[in-house]
Amino acid sequence: MKKLTYLFLLAQLLLLGSLNAQPYKPSAGIDAKVNALLAKMTLDEKIGQLTLYTTDWGSTGPTIREGYKNDIRSGACGNLFNSHTVGFVRELQRVAVEETRLKIPLLFGFDVIHGYKTIFPIPLGEAACWDLEAIELSAHIAAAEAASAGLNWTFAPMVDVTRDPRWGRVMEGAGEDTWLGCRIAEARVHGFQGKKLGNTDAVLACVKHYAAYGASTAGRDYNTVDMSERFFREYYLPPYKAAVQAGAATVMTSFNDYDGVPATGNKYLLTTILRNEWGFKGFVVTDYTSMNEMVNHGVIADEKEAGELSLNAGVDMDMQGSIYQRFLKQSVKQGKVLQKQIDEAARRVLRLKFELGLFDDPYRFCNEERQNATLLSADHRKAAREVSRKSIVLLKNDKNVLPLQRNQKIALIGPLADNKSELIGNWNGAGNADDCVTVAAGLQGWSLTHVKGCDIEGSDKSGFDAALAAARNADVVVVAVGEKAMMSGEAASRTDITLPGVQEELVLELCKTGKPVVVVLMNGRPLAIPQIAQNATAILETWWLGTETGNAIADVLSGAYNPAGRLPMSFPRSVGQVPVFYNERSTGRPYNPDSKWTSRYIDEVNAPLYPFGFGLSYTTFSYSQPTATVSFAANDASKRYPKSPVTVQVTVTNTGKMAGEEVAQLYVRDLVGSVTRPVRELKGFQKIMLQPGESKTLTFTLKAEDLGFYRRNMTFGTEPGEYDIMVGGSSQDVKTVRVRLEK
Ligand code: BGC
């Protein structure tokens, strides 16, 4: 034993000695340390810091190179992803800090999107909770768990605004709204990065996918993107900016092009906007081989040129493409890129490694005990249950069938009623389906008969009879249906966004029994379910809630929790309405169902099935007429205006019989602008708890920029004239006050 302790101490001394051999004083500032280190580095070693490879733990695309240990050893690879758990990470980090010339520690990245081991709702679902503190907490727990398992970098948050539910990646973001997307982006960055980088419960955030990936044409993943600069700056760009300004340490480029130039080689995006306009100081990483894919985009002839285009555009790190590693040195020799650009990129990477504290202790994220105590802790599960129930949206509740009564006999039906495997959703980190609570398990103790009825996919209806028999014998039917988890996420676009297989048929058959039917939906995107909306008695949208699914759903079904989620994305009536979103611009022929010659369909109404911001409660709320005071004049949104130039007040009352939370939403419309303006835009919300009969007067304050926009000449600011300020319980249920901004 003594001998072992002695050997351990000796090893520590040797390690310290080797680290102390670093070319800087331990007391020096980070900049000085980085400069000293850079001065010692060869060009190859610098390029190694700009290289990120996946290990063979798991990957989302082809693994280009093997033998990553040798790459680490030679200094050719300075960063890894898809490597996690303390033992695995420690060994790889050991190679970096013991077997390389300069002993520079590795970064370890991973897609920790909605939890690491304790899985929270998918981001789209979580966005439905309209609770920024809850969202920040969820990101923070994900970070704490990831950081306890060796990781120090997450490829999140994904902040791509999207209006097309065909696109599978809608599940990863915050939905269709720009303003809500900004607030959620900030909350997630704060959650992941915690109080301070370097704390052992924080990881680097990576804002992705920059930029406008959510606007892939036809909702087809990896497709091209084109839109006006005005549209881009107004709707798509703000969440990336919000995340950067919230301190996000890194940014990931997107697969798509923007204005004809792939994002990974787009200097306008990466340098003009990101660095020059927003002052971003962290590093930019490509998406998975997106640098190589610029050859397919057809904007460069070969991979070497792709590297040059990327570096010159502002990309610091090459994810999995190995282009920088293979060609950048040659490009320097040929004068196609400058050595100082490589220095600058390496400086950005090294700086963050110092900030994370990796040079002081390369194993600071590798502590077995912390890992065991952190993962799936009781506190984390409790928080997950809380966030999960907050994310559930009650879409329909005829005759107040919900909450259920304890003495009711329940027929629990559907392929997702007792199915653990789907509940963690896509992008599920290191989550285990086995740790999930199913709906059946959540309802334990109730009088339950469980029958599956059918599969998620396929045409087999042989289980219908048993399901219908169970329904006839019950007081109420709860039927859990939806998509498979892998039907949304990357490379999972769908042209048909109805319920797959024969599930809808099963639900409609159950409805015909005359028993009240409560549909529990599980899905990663807005679905087109008009028949179900018409025939079911109640509908709960539960997304993919993760580890605590069943408990959260049971809390809502039983009334232990009064649902308060609101949709972050419109639900279309059919795929033919897509894209359908609330903040569209005014047309010259506004919708009129009685006139053919207006902007409409001849076979369908314009309104979505369920609009943005919609969600019911077990109680009801009423709104007073809002009032507003204006204390500024229109012009540039500059500092000389008061902090809160428009103040809006409204009184909300709980008119029902149960305590509940309301999400009071504030929308704005500029009636006459120098360019067409959206018919409404979210600019604020407050989530409040009200007891039955209780009223609260809410005050909203709007900043000049909330009324500003890119005017005809593309300067940002306000214009004089009238604005409608609307307050209410959804984007389509508001009361309006008109204000005037004077010149
Ligand atoms: C995805 C990214 C992800 C990366 C690494 C890519 O295919 O587009 O969102 O972060 O893989 O896993």
Side-chain angles (χ1 to χ4, degrees):
M1 188 64 200
K2 257 190 182 163
K3 200 169 166 190
L4 269 181
T5 317
Y6 173 73
L7 281 174
F8 177 73
L9 280 175
L10 190 67
Q12 293 285 311
L13 278 174
L14 282 175
L15 172 62
L16 272 180
S18 61
L19 289 179
N20 284 342
Q22 297 291 13
Y24 49 77
K25 285 200 195 108
S27 60
I30 287 183
D31 283 337
K33 285 177 176 170
V34 171
N35 285 338
L37 192 53
L38 276 172
K40 291 267 174 203
M41 289 169 78
T42 63
L43 182 53
D44 284 322
E45 284 165 335
K46 288 173 187 167
I47 293 170
Q49 291 303 308
L50 312 185
T51 296
L52 169 66
Y53 287 142
T54 181
T55 56
D56 41 17
W57 185 279
S59 64
T60 56
T63 300
I64 292 176
R65 290 171 46 90
E66 290 177 339
Y68 46 86
K69 245 184 179 178
N70 286 335
D71 286 330
I72 301 170
R73 223 170 255 128
S74 68
C77 170
N79 315 282
L80 291 174
F81 69 117
N82 293 331
S83 326
H84 48 110
T85 64
V86 163
F88 192 45
V89 167
R90 180 177 279 275
E91 169 55 14
L92 295 166
Q93 192 69 296
R94 189 198 61 73
V95 178
V97 298
E98 289 184 22
E99 297 183 24
T100 65
R101 194 178 76 92
L102 288 172
K103 306 176 190 339
I104 300 174
L106 300 163
L107 279 183
F108 289 91
F110 191 43
D111 292 280
V112 182
I113 308 293
H114 55 111
Y116 174 74
K117 189 64 88 177
T118 307
I119 303 301
F120 283 73
I122 56 167
L124 181 67
E126 203 174 74
C129 81
W130 295 62
D131 182 333
L132 299 173
E133 276 175 29
I135 291 173
E136 181 172 335
L137 177 69
S138 144
H140 190 59
I141 290 175
E145 289 200 354
S148 81
L151 293 158
N152 42 44
W153 185 19
T154 178
F155 301 140
M158 186 274 217
V159 304
D160 304 324
V161 169
T162 177
R163 296 166 163 184
D164 196 328
R166 290 173 298 181
W167 193 51
R169 304 202 80 166
V170 299
M171 61 136 310
E172 298 170 46
E176 75 189 35
D177 187 56
T178 307
W179 189 89
L180 185 63
C182 289
R183 303 293 81 80
I184 291 178
E186 291 158 357
R188 289 192 168 134
V189 169
H190 290 144
F192 287 131
Q193 296 194 166
K195 291 208 170 68
K196 187 173 160 288
L197 287 181
N199 287 355
T200 49
D201 61 357
V203 295
L204 304 177
C206 183
V207 188
K208 70 188 191 185
H209 307 82
Y210 185 69
Y213 184 33
S216 296
T217 303
R220 209 176 69 218
D221 209 2
Y222 315 126
N223 206 357
T224 59
V225 168
D226 204 7
M227 63 178 75
S228 70
E229 168 101 11
R230 180 185 307 287
F231 199 68
F232 176 59
R233 285 191 175 263
E234 193 165 315
Y235 292 111
Y236 286 87
L237 206 49
Y240 306 103
K241 181 179 181 186
V244 164
Q245 292 187 338
T250 72
V251 170
M252 186 187 292
T253 65
S254 55
F255 287 123
N256 56 281
D257 61 344
Y258 170 71
D259 196 18
V261 184
T264 302
N266 197 315
K267 191 168 188 173
Y268 179 63
L269 294 180
L270 300 176
T271 300
T272 310
I273 297 181
L274 183 65
R275 297 228 178 256
N276 299 347
E277 283 184 30
W278 302 346
F280 175 63
K281 298 273 184 289
F283 70 77
V284 174
V285 63
T286 69
D287 202 346
Y288 202 111
T289 64
S290 65
M291 199 183 287
N292 317 54
E293 291 162 25
M294 291 199 290
V295 177
N296 286 344
H297 275 283
V299 294
I300 31 91
D302 56 36
E303 292 191 332
K304 178 170 159 290
E305 267 187 45
E308 290 155 6
L309 184 65
S310 303
L311 191 78
N312 286 325
V315 168
D316 301 301
M317 192 184 285
D318 172 3
M319 183 197 287
Q320 196 58 19
S322 81
I323 289 184
Y324 278 2
Q325 196 204 344
R326 285 179 288 146
F327 303 112
L328 218 45
K329 198 170 173 186
Q330 199 186 340
S331 300
V332 175
K333 279 200 192 114
Q334 293 171 348
K336 302 278 183 177
V337 298
L338 300 175
Q339 160 95 38
K340 73 170 195 227
Q341 289 172 284
I342 295 175
D343 287 357
E344 198 44 45
R347 175 174 284 117
R348 291 178 185 134
V349 176
L350 291 171
R351 188 164 227 299
L352 283 170
K353 290 186 177 183
F354 273 105
E355 277 189 45
L356 283 168
L358 290 172
F359 282 92
D360 299 328
D361 176 6
Y363 304 116
R364 64 185 294 113
F365 300 99
C366 297
N367 176 326
E368 199 93 37
E369 237 172 80
R370 191 169 65 238
Q371 178 178 246
N372 294 339
T374 308
L375 300 186
L376 222 56
S377 71
D379 281 354
H380 292 181
R381 288 197 82 131
K382 193 167 160 230
R385 179 173 184 162
E386 185 64 20
V387 177
S388 296
R389 62 192 201 169
K390 286 183 172 177
S391 304
I392 295 174
V393 186
L394 178 65
L395 295 175
K396 186 176 180 187
N397 193 18
D398 271 5
K399 299 187 204 123
N400 291 329
V401 62
L402 292 178
L404 302 176
Q405 306 303 315
R406 200 64 209 201
N407 57 1
Q408 282 176 311
K409 274 199 316 192
I410 302 174
L412 180 63
I413 294 171
L416 287 160
D418 196 19
N419 174 347
K420 287 189 176 190
S421 65
E422 305 296 323
L423 303 183
I424 45 178
N426 203 339
W427 290 115
N428 44 41
N432 293 327
D434 268 352
D435 295 324
C436 289
V437 181
T438 65
V439 184
L443 286 173
Q444 222 180 16
W446 289 68
S447 163
L448 277 190
T449 310
H450 171 239
V451 182
K452 188 168 155 199
C454 67
D455 289 326
I456 298 174
E457 292 179 287
S459 54
D460 183 6
K461 295 191 217 163
S462 59
F464 276 30
D465 285 347
L468 291 169
R472 287 192 196 99
N473 273 326
D475 299 315
V476 59
V477 178
V478 174
V479 54
V481 288
E483 297 182 296
K484 282 193 158 165
M486 290 299 161
M487 286 181 171
S488 59
E490 187 175 354
S493 295
R494 294 180 68 199
T495 59
D496 176 1
I497 53 171
T498 61
L499 280 176
V502 291
Q503 296 180 97
E504 178 159 320
E505 224 176 308
L506 174 66
V507 174
L508 297 179
E509 286 300 315
L510 290 167
C511 292
K512 285 187 201 152
T513 62
K515 299 285 177 171
V517 174
V518 178
V519 177
V520 174
L521 290 172
M522 298 186 186
N523 45 289
R525 56 158 60 76
L527 293 175
I529 44 157
Q531 287 296 319
I532 289 184
Q534 199 179 334
N535 292 288
T537 324
I539 305 175
L540 283 180
E541 172 54 71
T542 73
W543 321 100
W544 299 115
L545 293 178
T547 313
E548 286 291 320
T549 300
N551 287 332
I553 292 175
D555 286 345
V556 170
L557 289 174
S558 68
Y561 178 78
N562 186 353
R566 303 290 182 261
L567 293 180
M569 200 168 171
S570 309
F571 273 45
R573 289 169 198 276
S574 72
V575 83
Q577 273 191 327
V578 169
V580 58
F581 51 95
Y582 85 97
N583 50 352
E584 57 185 13
R585 288 164 192 268
S586 25
T587 68
R589 294 189 176 195
Y591 177 67
N592 176 353
D594 301 324
S595 166
K596 179 174 172 20
W597 309 102
T598 59
S599 177
R600 52 169 295 197
Y601 302 101
I602 56 171
D603 58 351
E604 187 53 279
V605 297
N606 280 13
L609 187 60
Y610 297 112
F612 175 83
F614 175 77
L616 301 170
S617 161
Y618 294 155
T619 188
T620 47
F621 301 96
S622 74
Y623 283 75
S624 70
Q625 177 60 34
T627 57
T629 52
V630 181
S631 61
F632 86 124
N635 206 319
D636 289 302
S638 70
K639 289 203 182 74
R640 48 202 174 89
Y641 294 111
K643 260 207 165 122
S644 18
V646 179
T647 306
V648 183
Q649 286 205 323
V650 70
T651 301
V652 187
T653 306
N654 181 342
T655 50
K657 295 197 179 68
M658 207 170 159
E661 288 165 299
E662 169 67 335
V663 180
Q665 302 158 40
L666 182 142
Y667 297 87
V668 166
R669 176 180 189 172
D670 180 2
L671 293 179
V672 180
S674 56
V675 292
T676 50
R677 304 291 303 131
V679 292
R680 63 197 58 186
E681 289 178 288
L682 184 75
K683 292 295 174 188
F685 72 88
Q686 292 184 41
K687 191 170 185 181
I688 45 160
M689 169 58 98
L690 291 172
Q691 297 304 316
E694 191 188 359
S695 295
K696 267 189 195 153
T697 298
L698 308 180
T699 302
F700 290 89
T701 52
L702 292 174
K703 298 191 283 301
E705 71 193 61
D706 292 327
L707 300 180
F709 61 97
Y710 288 94
R711 296 168 291 196
R712 180 87 60 99
N713 62 6
M714 284 304 284
T715 58
F716 186 88
T718 51
E719 288 178 345
E722 289 185 320
Y723 290 74
D724 277 350
I725 315 270
M726 296 157 264
V727 189
S730 99
S731 64
Q732 304 308 318
D733 182 14
V734 290
K735 289 198 166 149
T736 305
V737 55
R738 188 158 290 180
V739 299
R740 166 173 278 284
L741 297 192
E742 303 298 342
K743 262 205 175 116

